[in-house]
Structures are given as structure tokens and as C-alpha cells.
Amino acid sequence: MAIFVTEEQVAQWLDMPTALAAVEDIMRLKGQGRAVNHPRQRVRRAGVILHWMGATVPEWGLTGFKVYTPRSALFFLYGAEGELLMVAQAAQLGQIRTGAASGVATKFMARPDARTVGIIGTGFQAEAQLKAICQVRLIERIFAYSRTEKRREEFARKMSEQLSVPVIAASSAEEAVRHADIVVTVTTSKEPVLKGEWLRFGMHINAVGSNALVRRELDAEAIRRCHRIVVDDRQQARMECGDLLGAVERGDLAWDNLPELGEVVCGRVAGRESDDEITLFESQGIALWDLAVGRVIFQQAVAHQCGQPLPF
């Protein structure tokens, strides 16, 4: 019989180190051609967008999909025979797995001696981004910027306490980025929030918010200055990555030539070849990450004999 798992149980069983390991493992499988990702699809009507995304790992005997709107998110996990195993509330699942993916990208693409982070955006996804990065690098200082002064100051206080790392509320996006080794953009902006003129050699960038062609967080100069650009899934990037669309249309990039994070993780492609390179990970958010952490949640639910039985 299938079980139902709540947001509270997800938070209890899915910590960041566990999520990092799960996402790294599934990206390695993807890089080896042993996992299948189905890009996000969107169904629209006035005022509502329904998002759907699915994935499978044949050797695990597991398939899963996530469906969500701005008000609700659910993850469905199926077994080897197509039987429903679990339905889980998926808001925190999505937040944690997105942060973990940036952590994996940082692990493989940022300089080993990276110590400072600049983050633009302090919303729902921002906390998990910093938690993941602090797991894979010895971060000593963080600069955080959002357009609302009160919000960025509250975020800085909260994250300083959670991470035991000084988090400084920056007065501008430029101030947040200028002295950072690792930069995170995690906004829903339609206009660039990160300018190429602010970048320094040796930086690593996790661009998290441009998961629609109308969204754009990096300007053309920032894309041009990146020596190495990695995506989570080429097919999904082609459908969604507003940051890269202009460069592709100008002929500066080709979708089919962009390496995927899985190829970096499994060693087929180098994440960084020198300390001077500016590296960029474009994170659209893929269903394989949901499957990776969903599997962990299901295993924990079984081990703890928890989860509400469902009548189907």
C-alpha cells in the first residue's frame, strides 16, 4: 500500500548532507547514461500554471514525477512494476534538492580555496543555496542582497545564526558580488541582476532563477566572460534557459555543445581547468533531483515505519 509523507516528515528525514550525496549520485548516473530525465512541461490557464516533470533510473527500479502550482507541490514515486509507493508533499523537497544541486556544482566547479559567497535574492530558495555551499567549501563570509532592505537584513541575521558564518546585508547587487569567490543568483527577474563588469577571474556562479525563457539573471557580458558553462540538462536548458538564449541566437553558444553537470560529476568533462577561469552552472531544476531525494525520503519512511497509508 502506498504511503503519504508530509512536509514535516520531509524536513525531518532530508538534511542537506544527505541531499548532496543523493543528487551527486544521480547526476553521476545521468552522466553515464544510466538515468532518464523528462523536462518540465507547463499547462497554463488564466492565473494558474501547472508544472509537471518526471524521471527514472532503471537500475533502481524507480520512476517519479513532481506536479506543482504556486500553491501546492506533490511528488509521486513508483516501483519496478509501476506500483505507487509514495506521495510526498514537495515544497521543501524542491527547495532542498535545488540547493543540493548548486552544492554539487560548487564542489566540482568552484576553486578549492573559495571562501566568500555573494548571493542575489533572499527568497524561499536562498537559504538552501547557502546551506549546500557551506557543506562543500569552508566559507568564511557571505554577502546577501535583495531589493528590500528589511528583508535582506532579516535574512542576514537568520543565516548568520544558522550557518555560524558572518552574513552581511549588502546595499547593492554589485557590493554582494564584487569580492565573492562564489556567486549565486536566485531570483525571478526578467532583467539581468548580475553584470559581467562585476566578475573577477576565478569566480564560480550558480544561476538558479532563469528557468523560463522570459527570465534572465545574467547580462550578455557576464555570459561572454564565462570560460566554462555547464547546464543540468541540455534539453531542458534549450526549452527554459533565458540566460543563454541570447548567446545561442548570436551564435556564441550551441545548445548541443553545452556540457551537463552529470558529465562533470562522472569525470567526462572538467568542471574547471584553472584557478583563473570563470565558471557558470545554469540550474533549471530537473526531475532527476526530485527522484534522488524522493528515494531517500521513501527509504526513511520505510525504515521508521512512518507515513500515512493511502487507500490506493
Side-chain angles (χ1 to χ4, degrees):
M1 182 174 290
I3 58 172
F4 179 74
V5 175
T6 66
E7 291 284 7
E8 292 74 20
Q9 290 168 322
V10 170
Q12 178 183 354
W13 297 330
L14 186 63
D15 59 25
M16 187 54 73
T18 303
L20 280 162
V23 171
E24 181 176 335
D25 285 346
I26 209 163
M27 292 312 290
R28 182 174 293 107
L29 292 174
K30 187 177 193 304
Q32 295 168 342
R34 297 157 61 192
V36 179
N37 185 73
H38 187 90
R40 180 174 18 240
Q41 304 291 313
R42 293 181 170 101
V43 180
R44 294 175 171 85
R45 68 173 174 83
V48 176
I49 303 178
L50 180 74
H51 310 255
W52 180 93
M53 53 206 304
T56 186
V57 176
E59 64 195 67
W60 290 356
L62 293 174
T63 300
F65 75 89
K66 185 172 71 178
V67 60
Y68 64 100
T69 70
R71 289 178 172 268
S72 174
L74 293 170
F75 173 76
F76 293 73
L77 182 68
Y78 293 84
E81 303 300 320
E83 72 278 19
L84 179 64
L85 301 175
M86 179 184 73
V87 180
Q89 291 183 312
Q92 292 186 82
L93 179 155
Q95 179 196 43
I96 295 167
R97 62 77 146 154
T98 304
S102 290
V104 172
T106 300
K107 175 181 176 179
F108 285 88
M109 298 180 68
R111 295 194 332 265
D113 63 347
R115 295 291 181 267
T116 58
V117 178
I119 186 166
I120 302 173
T122 59
F124 177 71
Q125 292 285 355
E127 294 183 21
Q129 295 291 313
L130 296 183
K131 289 177 182 178
I133 290 169
C134 287
Q135 288 288 322
V136 300
R137 289 294 184 272
L138 296 175
I139 300 303
E140 297 174 351
R141 192 166 47 166
I142 297 167
F143 298 90
Y145 174 75
S146 73
R147 292 175 296 177
T148 305
E149 181 178 1
K150 180 180 179 182
R151 187 168 185 173
R152 64 183 180 248
E153 289 179 348
E154 289 175 350
F155 179 83
R157 284 193 294 270
K158 179 180 180 180
M159 297 312 295
S160 292
E161 293 174 1
Q162 289 191 14
L163 300 172
S164 299
V165 173
V167 181
I168 300 156
S171 60
S172 67
E174 181 178 0
E175 182 184 332
V177 168
R178 279 290 191 185
H179 302 292
D181 301 317
I182 300 165
V183 175
V184 181
T185 59
V186 56
T187 74
T188 58
S189 180
K190 294 182 180 180
E191 299 296 331
V193 296
L194 180 62
K195 296 185 178 181
E197 64 192 68
W198 303 341
L199 304 184
R200 295 183 299 112
F201 290 112
M203 279 182 167
H204 171 66
I205 304 161
N206 294 313
V208 180
S210 178
N211 63 350
L213 293 178
V214 296
R215 293 181 182 175
R216 191 172 169 218
E217 294 188 305
L218 279 65
D219 71 3
E221 178 67 7
I223 298 297
R224 187 192 66 79
R225 291 196 61 196
C226 290
H227 301 87
R228 193 167 303 265
I229 300 173
V230 172
V231 297
D232 45 19
D233 180 88
R234 273 185 289 271
Q235 186 180 1
Q236 190 156 319
R238 184 192 295 266
M239 296 167 61
E240 296 187 346
C241 190
D243 278 338
L244 301 182
L245 180 61
V248 171
E249 290 187 338
R250 290 191 301 271
D252 297 334
L253 294 175
W255 294 120
D256 291 341
N257 293 337
L258 289 171
E260 294 184 343
L261 181 60
E263 295 168 335
V264 174
V265 172
C266 77
R268 292 179 58 193
V269 176
R272 169 179 293 273
E273 291 188 337
S274 77
D275 286 346
D276 290 336
E277 284 189 333
I278 300 173
T279 57
L280 169 63
F281 172 54
E282 280 286 349
S283 173
Q284 269 61 68
I286 62 174
L288 278 170
W289 304 344
D290 298 311
L291 181 58
V293 297
R295 178 189 187 217
V296 170
I297 293 163
F298 179 69
Q299 290 170 339
Q300 289 292 314
V302 171
H304 290 87
Q305 297 184 332
C306 290
Q308 178 182 342
L310 290 170
F312 54 85

